[in-house]
């Protein structure tokens, strides 16, 4: 199956995933994340401002703030398809992009070497080698190619696969850890 068809399949599976299952699994996944050494040792955590289809990152942001961690969120450029991370504070101004994603406004970029942990979004996560398939723009793969910190994917049951059902390209970057309702299901 090509990546485009796989993404459609996964989006449909996530739309059909019940609210009750989503809540139950979210709690279990978050408990495992917050107990992980990657989380405990991180001073700066990067995550998305999730939409309704994705894993809800509001609890990740709230927990980071409770623990006095710096939270950073992505800002993208259309030209060159580059991604940067900006600190998320009470004063951060957000705007919705043409893709409907909330992003910080401004050039106040946090350098990659300052980020200890990135919670990487995805539609599918392969549990044998840590590969993922995202939403198709390649922003995370480009960013992760030069990133040396920790990476983790948070995956609902419909997102977990024992082997890729999509072609893994040479530029695809594998994650260091994948967490599901069962705890860590992949670790490099």
């Amino acid at each position: 199956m090509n990546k485009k068809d796989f993404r459609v399949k996964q989006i449909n599976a996530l739309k059909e995933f019940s609210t009750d299952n989503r809540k139950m699994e979210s709690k279990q996944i978050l408990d495992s994340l917050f107990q992980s050494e990657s989380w405990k040792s991180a001073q700066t955590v990067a995550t998305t401002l999730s939409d309704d289809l994705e894993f809800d990152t509001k609890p990740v942001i709230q927990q980071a703030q409770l623990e006095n961690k710096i939270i950073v969120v992505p800002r993208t450029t259309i030209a060159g398809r580059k991604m940067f991370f900006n600190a998320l504070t009470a004063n951060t101004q957000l705007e919705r992009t043409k893709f409907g994603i909330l992003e910080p406004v401004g050039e106040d970029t946090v350098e990659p070497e300052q980020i200890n942990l990135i919670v990487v979004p995805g539609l599918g996560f392969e549990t044998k080698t840590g590969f993922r398939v995202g939403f198709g723009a390649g922003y995370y793969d480009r960013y992760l190619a030069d990133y040396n910190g920790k990476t983790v994917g948070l995956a609902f049951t419909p997102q977990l696969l024992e082997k890729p059902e999509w072609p893994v390209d040479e530029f695809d970057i594998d994650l260091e850890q994948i967490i599901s309702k069962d705890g860590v299901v992949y670790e490099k």
Side-chain angles (χ1 to χ4, degrees), residues 51-70:
D51 69 16
D52 292 340
L53 183 66
E54 297 174 295
F55 188 93
D56 185 3
T57 58
K58 285 183 213 79
V60 174
I61 293 166
Q62 291 166 345
Q63 186 66 30
Q65 291 168 333
L66 279 173
E67 295 181 27
N68 294 314
K69 296 180 186 290
I70 297 167

Side-chain angles (χ1 to χ4, degrees), residues 10 124-125 127 155-162 178-180 185:
Q10 288 301 104
F125 298 90
T127 60
F156 293 122
T157 297
Q159 295 174 286
L160 294 171
L161 300 134
E162 286 190 20
I178 299 170
I179 298 175
S180 78
V185 293

Side-chain angles (χ1 to χ4, degrees), residues 3 120 129-133 138-147 151 168-176 188:
K3 284 185 179 178
V120 183
T129 59
F131 282 105
R132 64 175 267 284
V133 66
Y139 285 103
Y140 273 88
D141 287 317
R142 279 189 290 285
Y143 191 89
L144 294 176
D146 296 320
Y147 174 71
T151 57
V168 176
D169 295 311
E170 62 185 40
F171 53 81
D172 288 340
I173 305 294
D174 58 325
L175 301 181
E176 292 185 315
K188 197 186 255 187

Side-chain angles (χ1 to χ4, degrees), residues 22-181:
R22 190 177 281 265
K23 285 180 184 176
M24 180 198 64
E25 288 194 16
S26 289
K27 182 183 179 336
Q28 294 166 323
I29 292 166
L30 290 167
D31 287 346
S32 293
L33 172 66
F34 300 148
Q35 293 305 310
S36 72
E37 189 53 41
S38 297
W39 177 268
K40 289 178 181 180
S41 64
Q43 291 301 307
T44 303
V45 177
T47 190
T48 60
L49 296 169
S50 57
D51 69 16
D52 292 340
L53 183 66
E54 297 174 295
F55 188 93
D56 185 3
T57 58
K58 285 183 213 79
V60 174
I61 293 166
Q62 291 166 345
Q63 186 66 30
Q65 291 168 333
L66 279 173
E67 295 181 27
N68 294 314
K69 296 180 186 290
I70 297 167
I71 194 80
V72 296
V73 294
R75 174 177 54 84
T76 58
T77 64
I78 302 298
R81 289 192 176 190
K82 294 191 180 200
M83 183 170 71
F84 306 92
F85 285 93
N86 288 30
L88 181 65
T89 68
N91 298 322
T92 303
Q93 183 182 355
L94 301 171
E95 71 180 9
R96 201 162 292 280
T97 68
K98 74 176 194 171
F99 300 112
I101 300 167
L102 278 177
E103 291 189 359
V105 176
E107 303 291 322
D108 202 12
T109 301
V110 175
E111 296 301 318
E113 58 272 7
Q114 295 175 282
I115 302 171
N116 309 112
L117 175 65
I118 299 179
V119 179
V120 183
L123 286 169
F125 298 90
E126 189 265 323
T127 60
K128 299 285 188 227
T129 59
F131 282 105
R132 64 175 267 284
V133 66
F135 290 85
Y139 285 103
Y140 273 88
D141 287 317
R142 279 189 290 285
Y143 191 89
L144 294 176
D146 296 320
Y147 174 71
N148 294 315
K150 303 282 186 196
T151 57
V152 63
L154 307 179
F156 293 122
T157 297
Q159 295 174 286
L160 294 171
L161 300 134
E162 286 190 20
K163 61 182 183 173
E165 293 179 16
W166 66 91
V168 176
D169 295 311
E170 62 185 40
F171 53 81
D172 288 340
I173 305 294
D174 58 325
L175 301 181
E176 292 185 315
Q177 193 174 61
I178 299 170
I179 298 175
S180 78
K181 69 178 179 65

